Amino acid sequence: MLQRTCIVLICLLTTPAWASISHLNFTSHIAHPDPESVVQDLQRRVNISVSRRNLLSYDTSVRSTNCQTGNPIDDCWRCDPNWQLNRFRLADCGIGFGQYALGGKNGRYYIVTDSSDHDAVNPTPGTLRYAVIQTEPLWIVFATNMVIHLSQELIFNSYKTLDGRGANVHITGGGCITLQYISNVIIHNIHIHHCYESGNTNVRSSPTHFGYRTKSDGDGISIFGSRDIWIDHCSLSNCKDGLIDAVMGSTGITISNNFFSHHNEVMLLGHSDDYLPDSKMQVTIAFNHFGPKLIQRMPRCRRGYIHVVNNDFTRWEMYAIGGSGNPTINSQGNRYTAPVDRNAKEVTKRVESSHQMWRDWNWRSEGDIMVNGAYFITSGESLELKYEKAYSVEPKSAVIIDQLTVNAGVLGHRRNNLGKWTSGGDENVIPGSDSGDLDDYDYGSENSAAAHPPGAPSNSMIFSFLIALLFLFITTKTILF
């Protein structure tokens, strides 16, 4: 036994951390020991961003449509006019329980140049499927606008960032995205929609393994036994089952800045009422817009600790937040706009649970705004004691919801200036991609690549550089004099 332990320790010490985790698909289902501290940290970050925005709103010289929204995630990277020169910065901008997701930080860029998905067992280099199954950390970007119609589930490996900034990327088709027994994934700025059931066939999950997959549910994103996951600025709609489902002991998840629409069962958190590992599930749901034609499950929770903060809920058809199996639901600073139907005004729904069962569940609403007759039924006899630490910091009022959620969903309007996608050279681009040069891509302009040859600076880059020099001059002058 001692000899075997020594061998394992030697292997771990001589193997890169990301490699050992990726090969083993290891996930640790350890809950944060103090979830209230995570809540306080999120509130502190919002306070700082909102306060900074209010101060700068009086200074017309620094106003920007891309910056100082009061949204701490966006302000973290979008305030830099040359954010594209340091895409890895995004990995430092997470909040909540999923803030430790590294994604492909410090790995190589992988450029998706081929939108096809013809073979789920032997994917073609240059395709998205080829990228996500690799064992090394990768920061995956897209050479151009593309619609990727999947033939089967897209099974990720650990330490991957899917970064759609600078391109209009749609993922649709069979199974869509599966995160199973992995960790450290960031999915950012991607359209995910019209996903349907697939399976009963072989699908590759790593360069050295493929296996038989039974029929999938047709989720947009399926999180299964995984941790440290961050889904940000995506637009999700019209899938067969859930838009985002997290089950089987998954934890350390943040779902932020997304736009959800046109769907029935939006989000499921927890496998079943009796599945005890889901008691350690911890999920942050922040700054999302739950938009038109949504019916229920925003989210529907089983067990776990779910922090729902500063979201905009617009006219659900049945209910907004539901649960069973005694989940903890901490609702702060949301705006709940009820539908016209007088029978669907209640925000909350205890699913198939009697009052005798749920009266002690910890469901709290603080700083929420109720519109059009919406109402939230709280519960929990020991609630004040349990949440005393969490509310030592005053939660933000929902009056700032508009500014926090104004950019929910996929970014990419012309005014957002999501241009050139990377700054590295050939040494920073993974072999197999067919472009080591750096193209400028102006969202919405199909001729931009021709207008700016690879490596040539764009007018926006030159302008940003001059502005940066001017700012440096003013700052230096202020310090000296």
Side-chain angles (χ1 to χ4, degrees):
M1 180 64 181
L2 178 61
Q3 181 180 10
R4 184 182 306 168
T5 303
C6 291
I7 292 172
V8 171
L9 287 174
I10 292 171
C11 291
L12 290 174
L13 290 172
T14 57
T15 306
W18 60 262
S20 62
I21 294 176
S22 295
H23 281 298
L24 296 174
N25 271 344
F26 172 76
T27 54
S28 175
H29 307 293
I30 300 176
H32 194 286
D34 186 8
E36 286 82 4
S37 68
V38 178
V39 170
Q40 290 181 36
D41 178 65
L42 191 156
Q43 293 169 344
R44 178 185 61 82
R45 296 192 195 191
V46 174
N47 283 332
I48 291 172
S49 291
V50 170
S51 298
R52 184 190 301 118
R53 178 185 186 273
N54 292 338
L55 287 172
L56 292 177
S57 65
Y58 297 102
D59 186 352
T60 57
S61 65
V62 295
R63 287 181 183 174
S64 169
T65 57
N66 294 339
C67 183
Q68 307 305 345
T69 63
N71 184 313
I73 297 173
D74 289 357
D75 289 351
C76 176
W77 66 270
R78 296 185 72 199
C79 289
D80 180 1
N82 295 311
W83 61 264
Q84 66 275 13
L85 303 182
N86 181 17
R87 282 186 172 253
F88 292 163
R89 170 66 178 165
L90 177 66
D92 300 324
C93 298
I95 61 170
F97 294 114
Q99 66 183 289
Y100 303 110
L102 294 175
K105 184 180 180 182
N106 297 326
R108 289 185 287 176
Y109 286 108
Y110 184 102
I111 312 168
V112 177
T113 57
D114 184 348
S115 63
S116 69
D117 187 44
H118 301 309
D119 192 336
V121 175
N122 298 298
T124 304
T127 61
L128 178 58
R129 186 177 297 276
Y130 186 91
V132 300
I133 65 171
Q134 302 304 313
T135 55
E136 65 175 298
L138 291 178
W139 200 277
I140 302 167
V141 294
F142 299 84
T144 186
N145 295 346
M146 58 181 65
V147 176
I148 299 173
H149 189 89
L150 299 172
S151 59
Q152 298 293 335
E153 289 176 274
L154 188 67
I155 303 178
F156 276 55
N157 216 323
S158 295
Y159 293 93
K160 300 293 179 291
T161 295
L162 208 57
D163 185 355
R165 290 176 293 179
N168 187 11
V169 179
H170 293 249
I171 294 177
T172 183
C176 285
I177 293 173
T178 296
L179 312 178
Q180 181 170 323
Y181 298 127
I182 61 170
S183 68
N184 290 281
V185 171
I186 299 173
I187 301 174
H188 181 85
N189 216 59
I190 304 290
H191 296 272
I192 301 169
H193 57 93
H194 292 94
C195 303
Y196 51 77
E197 298 167 332
S198 64
N200 293 328
T201 188
N202 288 320
V203 179
R204 185 169 294 278
S205 59
S206 78
T208 58
H209 177 267
F210 68 86
Y212 188 82
R213 300 289 294 182
T214 57
K215 194 172 184 180
S216 69
D217 292 335
D219 296 328
I221 300 175
S222 175
I223 306 170
F224 190 102
S226 297
R227 64 174 175 86
D228 297 329
I229 308 297
W230 182 23
I231 302 166
D232 186 58
H233 272 300
C234 293
S235 295
L236 301 101
S237 64
N238 289 299
C239 292
K240 176 65 175 178
D241 192 34
L243 295 182
I244 300 176
D245 282 5
V247 298
M248 303 301 289
S250 297
T251 192
I253 300 168
T254 292
I255 299 169
S256 58
N257 291 313
N258 300 289
F259 184 82
F260 300 94
S261 67
H262 298 88
H263 195 76
N264 179 9
E265 298 176 336
V266 179
M267 193 184 308
L268 174 65
L269 305 177
H271 175 66
S272 70
D273 293 355
D274 300 324
Y275 190 72
L276 295 181
D278 279 334
S279 298
K280 298 180 179 180
M281 176 179 289
Q282 295 173 331
V283 181
T284 299
I285 300 172
F287 318 141
N288 302 284
H289 185 187
F290 293 90
K293 303 297 182 182
L294 297 178
I295 297 177
Q296 59 181 319
R297 298 192 176 186
M298 295 170 255
R300 191 259 199 250
C301 315
R302 296 182 177 116
R303 300 186 171 273
Y305 185 112
I306 315 301
H307 186 204
V308 183
V309 56
N310 295 141
N311 300 278
D312 194 4
F313 293 82
T314 307
R315 293 185 176 86
W316 55 89
E317 293 187 24
M318 288 179 61
Y319 66 88
I321 298 176
S324 60
N326 192 15
T328 295
I329 296 176
N330 185 352
S331 174
Q332 293 183 304
N334 301 284
R335 179 166 59 203
Y336 295 105
T337 303
V340 175
D341 184 354
R342 67 179 62 185
N343 296 315
K345 300 292 187 182
E346 184 180 344
V347 172
T348 52
K349 179 178 177 62
R350 276 73 170 181
V351 181
E352 297 179 353
S353 303
S354 66
H355 180 265
Q356 185 71 19
M357 295 173 61
W358 62 255
R359 65 181 182 182
D360 293 331
W361 298 356
N362 291 307
W363 290 29
R364 174 133 186 174
S365 168
E366 184 155 347
D368 292 326
I369 284 185
M370 305 295 170
V371 182
N372 198 31
Y375 63 97
F376 188 114
I377 295 182
T378 61
S379 60
E381 292 180 352
S382 59
L383 198 61
E384 294 301 327
L385 179 63
K386 181 176 181 63
Y387 284 96
E388 183 178 354
K389 257 168 78 174
Y391 292 102
S392 61
V393 178
E394 182 181 354
K396 295 306 301 177
S397 171
V399 296
I400 63 171
I401 285 298
D402 286 334
Q403 70 189 56
L404 291 176
T405 62
V406 65
N407 291 315
V410 168
L411 298 165
H413 300 292
R414 291 174 184 269
R415 64 182 176 84
N416 288 333
N417 191 27
L418 293 182
K420 183 180 174 191
W421 52 259
T422 187
S423 63
D426 290 343
E427 73 283 354
N428 201 35
V429 178
I430 190 170
S433 59
D434 63 3
S435 174
D437 294 335
L438 309 174
D439 298 334
D440 285 330
Y441 183 79
D442 179 13
Y443 184 95
S445 174
E446 295 181 357
N447 297 320
S448 59
H452 298 285
S458 66
N459 292 335
S460 62
M461 290 177 61
I462 295 172
F463 179 74
S464 297
F465 178 71
L466 292 175
I467 291 296
L469 284 179
L470 179 61
F471 178 76
L472 180 62
F473 172 76
I474 293 172
T475 303
T476 305
K477 185 176 180 180
T478 302
I479 293 173
L480 290 177
F481 297 100

